[in-house]
Amino acid sequence: MEETLGAAAPGRAAASSVRGPAAEAVGYVEDRHWDVCPGTWLIEGDGRTRCSCGDRTCPAPGAHPDGPDWRSLAGSSPAAVRRWWAERPQASVILPTGRSFDVLDVPETAGCLALARMERTGVRLGPVVAMPASGGRGRRLLFLVLPGVPPKLPDLLRRLGWAPGRLDLTAHGEDGWIVAPPSRVGAHGFAQWARQPSEANRWLPEASELIDPLAYACGREAPPPAYALTAP
């Protein structure tokens, strides 16, 4: 079983705790062949912290794409990545979804329950990101899976008896993104690996392999269905 929340796995996992955004971004490109692009960063001064985007009400300060052309900028050239972070060393690390991977996004409590269950039963897992609370949402776990999930997700949930929108379980796919460790999300904390990228999880699972335990865990916290009242 791999190390999960709260503990560092050997090798790259231990090193990632002390490596900065530039080194991690290069590692994602060289080790995993993931596309990467620099995001926004935090500007500190005058006793306050603000996002480089200039929006005083930014919901994820220092942790979102920097400009509308980020999709075309994102790539997997180590030389380009080194140049980008040489120019803006504090930039967050943005990983586009819908290319090398998609993401299943669930609340942290449900995600930890599902993760423990999947590890006990030997479900094949990919890397998992732990995200701090931001933008009005609580802490989240992001499960990396093979691309092509969003169009399939409603049907996968219906087959398990869940109507669309009943569960706090969403997918990020084409034209989406996630912020990768070790990026800092404003004053909320840092993105971290709950399950490190490693040789053991280089081959990502299909979403269908994870959806049952994830839906079950999210269903434990789902509000009861609202039934329309009819006059007698």
Side-chain angles (χ1 to χ4, degrees), residues 39-60:
T40 54
W41 59 93
L42 294 173
I43 299 173
E44 299 183 275
D46 302 325
R48 59 192 178 94
T49 301
R50 60 189 186 277
C51 185
S52 63
C53 71
D55 182 353
R56 292 178 178 270
T57 61
C58 180

Side-chain angles (χ1 to χ4, degrees), residues 76-153:
S76 55
S77 163
V81 171
R82 290 187 178 94
R83 184 178 69 253
W84 293 335
W85 266 271
E87 296 169 351
R88 40 194 142 176
Q90 301 305 315
S92 56
V93 182
I94 301 298
L95 304 178
T97 53
R99 299 185 185 184
S100 297
F101 60 84
D102 281 357
V103 162
L104 291 170
D105 179 339
V106 300
E108 182 185 61
T109 301
C112 288
L113 175 64
L115 186 57
R117 182 184 177 194
M118 287 187 278
E119 290 185 327
R120 284 197 308 269
T121 57
V123 173
R124 185 167 63 99
L125 283 162
V128 182
V129 180
M131 284 295 299
S134 64
R137 305 177 84 197
R139 293 178 60 85
R140 314 288 295 184
L141 287 192
L142 311 179
F143 291 75
L144 274 61
V145 294
L146 289 173
V149 178
K152 303 175 185 176
L153 185 58

Side-chain angles (χ1 to χ4, degrees), residues 14-229:
S16 69
S17 64
V18 295
R19 297 193 340 171
E24 286 297 309
V26 172
Y28 297 145
V29 167
E30 293 184 333
D31 299 344
R32 306 295 290 202
H33 307 292
W34 289 341
D35 285 355
V36 169
C37 73
T40 54
W41 59 93
L42 294 173
I43 299 173
E44 299 183 275
D46 302 325
R48 59 192 178 94
T49 301
R50 60 189 186 277
C51 185
S52 63
C53 71
D55 182 353
R56 292 178 178 270
T57 61
C58 180
H64 60 83
D66 185 22
D69 61 343
W70 68 270
R71 294 181 185 85
S72 59
L73 178 66
S76 55
S77 163
V81 171
R82 290 187 178 94
R83 184 178 69 253
W84 293 335
W85 266 271
E87 296 169 351
R88 40 194 142 176
Q90 301 305 315
S92 56
V93 182
I94 301 298
L95 304 178
T97 53
R99 299 185 185 184
S100 297
F101 60 84
D102 281 357
V103 162
L104 291 170
D105 179 339
V106 300
E108 182 185 61
T109 301
C112 288
L113 175 64
L115 186 57
R117 182 184 177 194
M118 287 187 278
E119 290 185 327
R120 284 197 308 269
T121 57
V123 173
R124 185 167 63 99
L125 283 162
V128 182
V129 180
M131 284 295 299
S134 64
R137 305 177 84 197
R139 293 178 60 85
R140 314 288 295 184
L141 287 192
L142 311 179
F143 291 75
L144 274 61
V145 294
L146 289 173
V149 178
K152 303 175 185 176
L153 185 58
D155 189 52
L156 289 172
L157 292 175
R158 273 192 292 267
R159 291 179 185 180
L160 295 173
W162 294 101
R166 282 276 289 118
L167 300 181
D168 187 2
L169 192 168
T170 58
H172 305 284
E174 188 174 0
D175 293 332
W177 57 275
I178 63 170
V179 60
S183 304
R184 179 181 169 192
V185 184
H188 308 291
F190 292 82
Q192 301 177 10
W193 287 112
R195 187 179 174 94
Q196 290 276 345
S198 68
E199 286 301 317
N201 59 32
R202 182 170 294 277
W203 302 104
L204 299 178
E206 292 277 1
S208 58
E209 299 177 58
L210 311 188
I211 199 66
D212 191 348
L214 286 174
Y216 170 79
C218 290
R220 289 167 59 98
E221 300 183 12
Y227 295 104
L229 298 177

